Amino acid sequence: MKRNVGLVLYYSRENKYSFNALLGAIETRRNFDNLKIYFIYDAEELVLRLRDIIEQHEMVILGISLMTTQLWDIVYLMRKLRARYKDKILYLAGGPHPSGDPCGTLKIGFDLVVLSEGEETILELLEKIDNNEDYKTVEGIAFKDGDGKCHVKIRRSRIVLDDYPPFAVKHNKFGPIEITRGCPFGCYFCQTTRIFGKLQRHRSIENICRYVKILMSRKLKDIRFISPDALSYGSQDGKSLCPTALKELLTAVRKIINSAGGRIFIGTFPSEVRPEHVTEETISLLSQYADNDNLVIGAQSGSDRILKLSHRGHTVEDVYKAVRLALKNNFKANVDFIFGLPGETQEDVMLTVKVMRDLAKMGARIHAHTFIPLPQTPLMMSPPGKIDDCIKEFIKQHVSTGVIYGNWKEQEAAAKKIAAYFSARKVHWKKTNM
């Protein structure tokens, strides 16, 4: 770079995969080779270290990625940073919450918001800054003008995954390989379709294998994938399956890793599978090629009425079939449920309890969540999820045995705060230790 710019990343555990993709994009440009990048993992350390970093650079950019559940911590952090450093830093936000609530994010102290996919946007921003040009002309951002008015620039066209690495090789920031981006289903409680679009885009097998080889060369032998639905790899519409493409992918990766004792994990964290996509053919492929002993299956409700209201696109019977197939093929079944989805009646709650009891008797585990309204989704202004007494009784009966697990308590509390924020467009906060 021509200018002495320092890029500081608040590299928290929850957001590291997003940063790895952006760093990978930056590494594709030779003119950014001398860009000094700082990784800071702790909020208190961030506040303290920025003073020295500012002294070393003509300009400092601080990148923070956040989810809606992190909003209160980031509000407190931004108040401390603005009080101490004022305008000596360019504050840049990205991630799910800023993409869905750009103007609200600017209000808490950020100068710029990167919307949706950030690979191309961050490159153009850095180019403009390096050339001392007006970076507010970049597409895919939001900013405030001198009068405090929020401006949201047009979002960019979707990227081709093969054009960018899934992680940052030069900076040794590795993780799962994103093989698919986008989701055609558009569940009303989920941001994925709103951020990445309905059309699924797949990383090519050749490109995936390139990065598998890099991981293996670094002695990183567990190969994991990021996908909204791991079994839909290669599908043209994301709804109809393409088992041939899935088999070709798994075969190619297995060929690379076998001699070095590598392992494939697919259909488990950080991905999941849709229940209707667990078929005899797909489960057979996983049995043959994958090393994970479990599947994460997205059920979300035991009521067909709520599934339809939420725009899920599958039935309760699909969930039963998926769990039976998983267990039959020696996979543990971890089944996602969301408590307190909008529109639930007592009958819907009882149906969900029945399904969870049935699945538990079959041998499945329940991964429990509480509904949280998220920005940009059709259910954004819905009441926060509340755990019904019948659900609490089920939890009480099964939590000690490990049949049910998750962060439903924390999510129920967070949902109340988030719903209040969207209603008032104001963050109610209190100080935490920092």
Side-chain angles (χ1 to χ4, degrees):
M1 295 186 75
K2 298 185 287 291
R3 297 180 70 190
N4 181 18
V5 176
L7 176 60
V8 181
L9 301 180
Y10 181 35
Y11 195 78
S12 60
R13 177 178 59 85
E14 296 88 348
N15 310 103
K16 62 183 181 179
Y17 295 155
S18 297
F19 277 134
N20 287 353
L22 290 183
L23 282 167
I26 291 171
E27 290 180 354
T28 64
R29 297 288 181 89
R30 292 290 302 276
N31 52 318
F32 296 149
D33 282 352
N34 63 339
L35 172 65
K36 180 64 176 177
I37 301 177
Y38 300 86
F39 302 93
I40 301 182
Y41 303 84
D42 175 77
E44 184 175 354
E45 180 190 2
L46 176 66
V47 174
L48 295 174
R49 282 191 60 192
L50 277 169
R51 183 179 299 279
D52 291 336
I53 295 171
I54 289 170
E55 291 178 356
Q56 297 175 40
H57 296 280
E58 176 186 351
M59 182 178 190
V60 172
I61 305 168
L62 170 60
I64 295 179
S65 177
L66 67 142
M67 297 178 288
T68 303
T69 51
Q70 298 172 291
L71 182 59
W72 284 263
D73 289 337
I74 298 302
V75 167
Y76 182 49
L77 173 61
M78 288 300 297
R79 292 189 182 197
K80 291 199 73 169
L81 293 173
R82 282 290 189 182
R84 182 170 294 199
Y85 299 114
K86 308 234 175 345
D87 298 327
K88 295 179 180 179
I89 297 168
L90 180 67
Y91 299 93
L92 179 64
H97 182 81
S99 291
D101 182 29
C103 296
T105 303
L106 292 169
K107 284 183 180 179
I108 66 175
F110 286 95
D111 298 303
L112 288 174
V113 167
V114 173
L115 304 168
S116 188
E117 301 176 338
E119 286 91 345
E120 291 184 349
T121 305
I122 193 66
L123 294 178
E124 190 172 341
L125 274 173
L126 290 173
E127 288 277 7
K128 294 286 186 182
I129 289 169
D130 193 31
N131 294 322
N132 206 18
E133 297 173 350
D134 183 7
Y135 50 74
K136 291 181 179 178
T137 62
V138 173
E139 289 187 352
I141 65 169
F143 61 91
K144 289 192 295 185
D145 62 22
D147 297 325
K149 182 180 179 181
C150 175
H151 295 265
V152 180
K153 301 277 285 183
I154 298 172
R155 287 172 170 79
R156 295 176 174 274
S157 58
R158 306 299 180 183
I159 70 163
V160 176
L161 290 182
D162 278 9
D163 290 345
Y164 297 98
F167 41 62
V169 178
K170 295 176 185 176
H171 288 88
N172 291 308
K173 299 297 182 185
F174 298 103
I177 299 172
E178 185 181 22
I179 59 173
T180 300
R181 188 179 287 185
C183 177
F185 292 95
C187 302
Y188 285 175
F189 50 77
C190 179
Q191 278 188 277
T192 300
T193 300
R194 282 89 207 172
I195 294 175
F196 298 121
K198 289 185 176 182
L199 180 64
Q200 281 200 339
R201 291 156 286 151
H202 307 287
R203 192 179 295 274
S204 70
I205 293 174
E206 179 183 6
N207 191 268
I208 293 168
C209 287
R210 173 186 173 188
Y211 293 104
V212 169
K213 290 176 182 177
I214 290 173
L215 290 172
M216 297 302 290
S217 72
R218 302 298 179 95
K219 308 300 182 185
L220 300 170
K221 298 181 180 182
D222 286 354
I223 308 301
R224 301 178 188 273
F225 302 113
I226 294 177
S227 170
D229 171 28
L231 297 179
S232 69
Y233 180 78
S235 171
Q236 290 188 355
D237 61 5
K239 295 183 178 181
S240 56
L241 296 178
C242 186
T244 301
L246 181 62
K247 181 177 181 178
E248 289 175 357
L249 168 64
L250 295 173
T251 302
V253 173
R254 177 59 66 189
K255 185 176 180 180
I256 294 169
I257 69 174
N258 260 356
S259 60
R263 300 189 298 175
I264 297 173
F265 294 86
I266 184 167
T268 186
F269 183 83
S271 296
E272 63 175 40
V273 298
R274 288 184 60 87
E276 76 274 28
H277 290 170
V278 181
T279 66
E280 291 281 4
E281 189 169 14
T282 57
I283 202 75
S284 175
L285 289 173
L286 298 190
S287 296
Q288 185 175 355
Y289 294 103
D291 292 285
N292 45 291
D293 64 358
N294 72 93
L295 284 181
V296 179
I297 301 168
Q300 317 313 355
S301 176
S303 163
D304 280 319
R305 191 184 74 86
I306 291 299
L307 291 176
K308 188 173 182 179
L309 276 179
S310 302
H311 210 248
R312 269 297 287 173
H314 67 78
T315 67
V316 172
E317 182 55 32
D318 290 327
V319 177
Y320 281 115
K321 289 179 180 178
V323 171
R324 290 190 196 103
L325 278 170
L327 297 174
K328 174 184 172 183
N329 287 272
N330 299 316
F331 286 97
K332 300 171 187 174
N334 297 316
V335 189
D336 281 345
F337 281 87
I338 302 176
F339 302 147
L341 282 165
E344 273 189 348
T345 65
Q346 194 61 36
E347 181 181 358
D348 297 315
V349 171
M350 296 307 296
L351 286 170
T352 293
V353 171
K354 177 187 181 303
V355 172
M356 291 193 298
R357 289 193 188 282
D358 290 345
L359 297 182
K361 289 177 182 177
M362 292 165 62
R365 296 177 74 210
I366 307 302
H367 188 195
H369 309 267
T370 302
F371 167 71
I372 296 176
L374 296 176
Q376 206 179 1
T377 67
L379 299 180
M380 170 180 169
M381 301 306 296
S382 298
K386 183 178 180 181
I387 303 176
D388 186 90
D389 288 343
C390 294
I391 299 286
K392 290 180 180 178
E393 183 61 28
F394 175 85
I395 293 171
K396 182 180 178 181
Q397 293 172 2
H398 293 87
V399 68
S400 62
T401 64
V403 166
I404 188 166
Y405 67 103
N407 297 319
W408 63 87
K409 284 184 181 178
E410 296 87 345
Q411 290 166 355
E412 185 178 32
K416 292 178 182 178
K417 293 197 302 181
I418 291 166
Y421 165 72
F422 287 137
S423 177
R425 284 296 174 180
K426 183 178 180 181
V427 176
H428 300 281
W429 68 287
K430 62 180 179 179
K431 290 184 178 180
T432 57
N433 294 327
M434 183 178 292

